[in-house]
């Protein structure tokens, strides 16, 4: 659960920084925009990352019982977006192994949230 807290906090900060750069064209710390993505795809990219990070953090601290299901939904949306970004827009800068690791992490995190005793007791679902 701690790893998910760290990862989703990172996602929230990354997403907010990406939105900041998207709307202002000011690079916050490193360039976050990917010139290979159309503007609409870039917006959805930052929206889903920010929403995923924020949803888990709010759900975790409020012990919202629907958090695991919301996260599975958001992870599946991120997986679809990643697939589109990887196979439709990316060049050699993104590898199949990195794509595979990202997909496996979504499956692992989703499985943990849905079936682990720790998740079930924290979010009081099922």
């Amino acid at each position: 659960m701690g790893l998910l807290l760290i990862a989703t906090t990172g996602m929230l900060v990354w997403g907010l920084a990406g939105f900041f750069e998207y709307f202002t064209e000011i690079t916050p710390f490193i360039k976050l925009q990917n010139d290979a993505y159309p503007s609409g795809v870039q917006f959805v990219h930052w929206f889903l990352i920010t929403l995923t990070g924020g949803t888990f953090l709010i759900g975790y601290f409020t012990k919202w019982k629907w958090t695991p299901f919301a996260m599975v939904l958001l992870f599946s949306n991120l997986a679809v977006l990643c697939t589109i970004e990887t196979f439709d827009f990316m060049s050699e800068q993104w590898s199949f192994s990195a794509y595979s690791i990202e997909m496996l992490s979504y499956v692992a995190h989703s499985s943990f949230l849905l079936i682990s005793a720790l998740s079930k007791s924290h979010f009081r679902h099922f």
Side-chain angles (χ1 to χ4, degrees):
M1 198 71 81
L3 290 176
L4 270 172
L5 274 172
I6 293 167
T8 54
T9 300
M11 289 178 82
L12 181 60
V13 170
W14 181 37
L16 291 172
F19 264 137
F20 175 78
E21 184 179 353
Y22 178 84
F23 287 116
T24 67
E25 298 182 7
I26 299 170
T27 302
F29 39 89
I30 61 169
K31 183 174 172 22
L32 297 172
Q33 303 306 306
N34 187 322
D35 297 329
Y37 301 163
S39 181
V41 171
Q42 195 74 61
F43 178 85
V44 172
H45 176 90
W46 298 122
F47 178 75
L48 284 175
I49 290 170
T50 304
L51 185 62
T52 302
T55 298
F56 185 78
L57 291 174
I58 290 169
Y60 179 83
F61 289 113
T62 63
K63 297 185 178 188
W64 182 44
K65 71 177 183 174
W66 298 109
T67 301
F69 301 106
M71 292 307 294
V72 169
L73 178 69
L74 289 166
F75 286 149
S76 67
N77 279 276
L78 283 167
V80 169
L81 180 65
C82 181
T83 301
I84 292 167
E85 290 171 347
T86 300
F87 294 105
D88 287 349
F89 301 111
M90 296 296 279
S91 59
E92 69 283 343
Q93 61 184 320
W94 191 253
S95 69
F96 183 73
S97 59
Y99 169 79
S100 299
I101 289 167
E102 187 169 345
M103 294 301 115
L104 288 172
S105 74
Y106 292 144
V107 170
H109 291 125
S110 295
S111 299
F112 170 78
L113 287 169
L114 290 176
I115 63 175
S116 77
L118 179 61
S119 176
K120 288 180 182 182
S121 67
H122 183 82
F123 296 110
R124 292 174 267 159
H125 66 283
F126 297 93

